[in-house]
Amino acid sequence: MASCQVSRETRAVIPQTGDAGLPDVRTAIDRVRAFIDPRLEQAVAGSADSAPRLQAALRYALLAPGKRLRPALVLWAAQACGGDWDTAAPAAAAVEMIHAYSLVHDDLPAMDDDDLRRGIPTCHRAFDEATAILCGDALQSLAFETLAAGLPGAVAGRGCLVLARAAGADALVGGQADDLAVERGWATDVVAADAAGQVAWMERIHRRKTAALILAALELGGLAAGADAERLRMLAAYGRAFGLAFQIADDLLDAEGDEAAVGKRVGKDAGRGKLTYPTVLGAAESRRLADELADEAATTVAGLGHPAAELVALARWVVARDH
Ligand code: GRG
């Protein structure tokens, strides 16, 4: 790692004020976006060999106005472990590339068949289906190229392994496959299960489809910072609670949110027979559970002190957000 101290540049981007002494999350995320977007833009700048339509789709999907939560998790985890943003930047970019690919493929007609994502037409609507498939494919490769080329040599191999597992058949892709299985009626035992069985099934899906990439983001931030085993364990505990709170909040937004604020179609889960926390547990119990998990996440990293302030604030914000 280049430096074990928080660099001067990083200090300048750590917000110092906010409610209850915590940083303001929107301002903090804006700073992450200002830091990471030029790097994402650079990564999809292309070369003489680039295919113009594919290159345009890559830019469109990767730079679309998402929240950049996963890059924020990488950078804030690195910062919480005494590292600097510049060293962690390739990991932050790589995780966002995997996330962007998963959204592009999730929106395809063969999957969720969505028209709107991040407040703009989905990739296959803005371009065409074949280009959107290729765009997702290329984003995956680019993620691993970015990690392998950009992380310090001592941790690049482990970083690639962490991301490959989180994006693979037993995590992101497997969670998506099982989610589809319920929706398409291929998992009849789950549809017939009682509420406890359905909650266990949902947790199994979300642990892979949502939380695995969140955990990878935190671990990559820790690795880039040279974190010890104890700090990596704290980040993992934060990630498990945060990941589930994030998913429950996402389900609640689908059930109750405003399409204009959320930036994608809402109310679609119930209509498709999808298992969600509000449909299985009800909105009130789902909200209670999300708040409890957010508290647990915040408490887990509070001991890391001021450098972990953004992670604490993010855990509180993620269950209160409207998008
Ligand atoms: C196609 C392999 C494959 C996986 C798709 C990401 C995904 C898996 C599906 C999208 C639908 C969904 C509700 C996923 C759960 C994770 C989630 C809430 C993603 C949205 O993340 P945000 O809110 O999105 O951080 P932005 O656009 O802000 O980056």
Side-chain angles (χ1 to χ4, degrees):
M1 188 184 90
S3 159
C4 280
Q5 301 300 312
V6 177
S7 70
R8 190 175 308 155
E9 182 194 1
T10 302
R11 261 183 224 293
V13 296
I14 300 176
Q16 304 293 317
T17 57
D19 287 346
L22 287 176
D24 175 65
V25 170
R26 280 172 195 265
T27 311
I29 286 183
D30 281 347
R31 288 173 173 153
V32 167
R33 191 177 289 112
F35 176 85
I36 202 66
D37 276 15
R39 288 163 172 83
L40 296 177
E41 199 155 2
Q42 178 62 35
V44 288
S47 72
D49 283 334
S50 298
R53 189 172 175 85
L54 173 64
Q55 212 59 37
L58 287 169
R59 277 186 57 86
Y60 183 86
L62 190 60
L63 293 165
K67 292 185 287 298
R68 308 289 187 265
L69 276 188
R70 292 153 193 81
L73 286 168
V74 174
L75 299 175
W76 292 340
Q79 173 188 305
C81 295
D84 62 74
W85 283 21
D86 284 329
T87 310
V95 174
E96 186 66 11
M97 287 165 190
I98 293 290
H99 173 57
Y101 124 70
S102 78
L103 298 179
V104 168
H105 279 194
D106 184 66
D107 291 334
L108 286 167
M111 298 218 194
D112 257 13
D113 193 13
D114 268 315
D115 297 335
L116 192 66
R117 169 69 70 181
R118 294 174 155 180
I120 56 176
T122 48
C123 190
H124 67 277
R125 288 274 172 226
F127 293 84
D128 59 274
E129 207 177 323
T131 302
I133 292 170
L134 294 172
C135 172
D137 295 341
L139 282 170
Q140 279 203 71
S141 305
L142 188 59
F144 290 100
E145 181 186 337
T146 303
L147 257 193
L151 270 191
V155 289
R158 184 162 165 202
C160 286
L161 181 65
V162 165
L163 191 62
R165 284 188 175 145
D170 289 352
L172 176 68
V173 176
Q176 174 77 352
D178 276 349
D179 207 16
L180 277 180
V182 177
E183 196 186 310
R184 309 268 158 108
W186 301 326
T188 44
D189 52 329
V190 179
V191 178
D194 61 10
Q198 292 189 339
V199 168
W201 177 262
M202 279 192 301
E203 282 184 5
R204 203 173 114 73
I205 287 181
H206 298 322
R207 187 165 43 78
R208 292 170 292 157
K209 183 173 135 175
T210 309
L213 197 56
I214 286 173
L215 278 163
L218 290 157
E219 186 173 352
L220 286 167
L223 287 177
D228 60 17
E230 174 58 13
R231 284 182 182 210
L232 289 174
R233 193 198 55 72
M234 285 167 99
L235 291 175
Y238 173 92
R240 280 191 293 274
F242 175 87
L244 197 49
F246 176 80
Q247 181 61 54
I248 298 172
D250 203 69
D251 284 356
L252 282 162
L253 280 177
D254 185 79
E256 303 171 342
D258 170 54
E259 182 164 307
V262 177
K264 60 184 179 184
R265 191 154 48 94
V266 295
K268 61 183 182 179
D269 292 344
R272 290 178 177 185
K274 256 194 176 174
L275 288 182
T276 72
Y277 282 87
T279 55
V280 175
L281 294 180
E285 175 59 13
S286 300
R287 191 158 295 289
R288 191 201 61 73
L289 185 59
D291 288 344
E292 186 180 294
L293 287 160
D295 274 349
E296 187 186 323
T299 309
T300 305
V301 291
L304 292 173
H306 176 67
E310 281 79 3
L311 290 180
V312 173
L314 185 69
R316 306 239 177 262
W317 174 82
V318 84
V319 289
R321 67 200 166 106
D322 66 357
H323 68 298

